[in-house]
Amino acid sequence: MDRLEAMSVFLVAVETGSLSAAGRRLGMPLTTVSRKLSDLEAHMRTRLLHRSTRKLTLTDAGQGYLTACKRILGDVEEAERIAAGEYIAPKGDLVVTAPILFGRLHVLPIIVGFMKAYPDVDIRLLLGDRVINLHDDHVDLAIRIGPLPDSNMIATRIGTIRREVCGSPAYFAKRGKPKRPEDLSSHDCVTFDSLMFSDVWKFGVGKSETSVAVHSRLIVNTADAAIDAAIGGAGITRALSYQLVQAQRAGTLEVVLRQYEPAAWPVNLVYASQGRLPIKLRAFVDFAAPRLRERLDQSQK
């Protein structure tokens, strides 16, 4: 029995909550996952997991063994990084995640430049608007937009992003421009449902916040679709400032109600704080942070 592999299977099974989910993450048949855990328990001469059709739960022995597995596997990973020279020169694989549109517009060009500057680092870029767990998904660094929850992660601030209301010149010529948030009740709205509710939009008024009822004639699940619909005259939409830069510069969208915008959202580079920071990750943070700050500054003008 390969004990390190068995420990890894045990750890993934606990993290995912089921043998089938562990098999999917590991790319391993369910029967193989089950056999490796059974072999581990036989070797330990104790039960580590209570199995049911719905979920896995740790026994008391399993809880203690889980802590030891995390420490041992972490030490092995650290030793491999040292042996591979990741603390001597930037090299190896780096996994980065970012929101879809922000990643395509701003992160991808920086990654291309970084790869030219550091030819021994290979990068996997995961674009998605769902917030993923860096540890569970084996991600080295995330670009996060919005307030951060308390955690043991390190965050490097690179700027802020506003939430702006906009519409096409043709729509405003036909329906008029809203002067106050309350005026939106008489307008057609296009809502990107990952950013806001479809029936209520929130605005900042002084130091307080107010909610305004809106009629969303169109609800979409991507920012691109909301912006395209607004450009086409379907109604007024709301998006993040960096998403609107190209349309504003092209004159196809106009921003309104700017004085009622809620507080800007922070943008951070987020990465784990445990242990020494691999040079490849430090090099990427040092390379990307000032360039992303410059891009965000330009997008606010």
Side-chain angles (χ1 to χ4, degrees):
M1 179 184 67
D2 185 332
R3 266 193 273 179
L4 287 178
E5 183 186 33
M7 286 180 179
S8 298
V9 172
F10 170 68
L11 183 59
V12 172
V14 173
E15 289 176 346
T16 57
S18 73
L19 299 187
S20 57
R24 287 193 295 272
R25 179 186 290 186
L26 294 167
M28 187 179 291
L30 175 60
T31 53
T32 304
V33 173
S34 180
R35 176 175 54 79
K36 288 184 179 296
L37 290 176
S38 296
D39 289 347
L40 180 62
E41 289 179 325
H43 173 77
M44 298 286 294
R45 296 182 181 179
T46 188
R47 182 173 291 280
L48 301 173
L49 294 165
H50 293 301
R51 297 168 173 81
S52 72
T53 55
R54 291 180 176 271
K55 63 179 181 178
L56 300 174
T57 55
L58 287 163
T59 64
D60 291 342
Q63 185 65 60
Y65 190 65
L66 176 67
T67 301
C69 283
K70 289 180 177 179
R71 183 183 69 252
I72 292 168
L73 292 173
D75 289 344
V76 170
E77 183 178 358
E78 184 79 356
E80 290 175 344
R81 283 180 166 177
I82 293 171
E86 287 191 13
Y87 297 111
I88 299 172
K91 61 188 298 186
D93 297 328
L94 193 67
V95 182
V96 178
T97 183
I100 294 173
L101 190 54
F102 188 87
R104 180 170 61 81
L105 292 177
H106 297 300
V107 180
L108 186 57
I110 288 173
I111 284 178
V112 171
F114 178 82
M115 292 171 64
K116 293 177 182 177
Y118 296 93
D120 292 329
V121 179
D122 297 329
I123 294 183
R124 182 184 181 199
L125 176 61
L126 306 175
L127 297 179
D129 293 325
R130 177 182 66 88
V131 175
I132 65 176
N133 184 290
L134 270 63
H135 173 72
D136 291 348
D137 291 278
H138 306 287
V139 172
D140 296 296
L141 179 140
I143 291 88
R144 295 273 166 83
I145 298 173
L148 295 174
D150 292 334
S151 72
N152 60 356
M153 297 288 175
I154 297 175
T156 299
R157 177 74 68 89
I158 56 173
T160 59
I161 284 177
R162 302 189 306 269
R163 286 160 284 175
E164 297 182 322
V165 176
C166 61
S168 70
Y171 176 87
F172 287 141
K174 182 179 179 180
R175 302 286 296 272
K177 295 181 181 179
K179 300 295 191 297
R180 301 176 305 155
E182 292 79 6
D183 295 341
L184 291 172
S185 61
S186 61
H187 283 271
D188 298 335
C189 293
V190 179
T191 296
F192 168 34
D193 62 3
S194 292
L195 182 64
M196 59 206 138
F197 295 112
S198 60
D199 56 349
V200 173
W201 291 2
K202 293 183 178 181
F203 293 86
V205 179
K207 294 183 178 181
S208 62
E209 188 177 71
T210 185
S211 298
V212 175
V214 299
H215 175 210
S216 292
R217 292 208 62 208
L218 177 63
I219 302 171
V220 296
N221 65 350
T222 69
D224 280 341
I227 292 167
D228 288 346
I231 291 173
I236 296 173
T237 195
R238 191 177 209 175
L240 300 179
S241 51
Y242 76 88
Q243 298 168 339
L244 301 173
V245 171
Q246 294 180 348
Q248 285 181 262
R249 290 174 179 171
T252 54
L253 285 178
E254 296 180 18
V255 174
V256 294
L257 303 177
R258 181 161 278 167
Q259 67 272 36
Y260 297 101
E261 290 174 5
W265 275 343
V267 184
N268 289 281
L269 304 181
V270 178
Y271 46 97
S273 62
Q274 293 92 345
R276 286 190 292 172
L277 199 65
I279 289 182
K280 63 182 179 181
L281 180 54
R282 170 50 59 195
F284 184 80
V285 172
D286 291 343
F287 185 93
R291 289 166 175 80
L292 284 170
R293 287 192 187 101
E294 182 179 0
R295 282 175 166 268
L296 283 172
D297 286 344
Q298 291 176 351
S299 71
Q300 306 296 317
K301 296 176 181 178

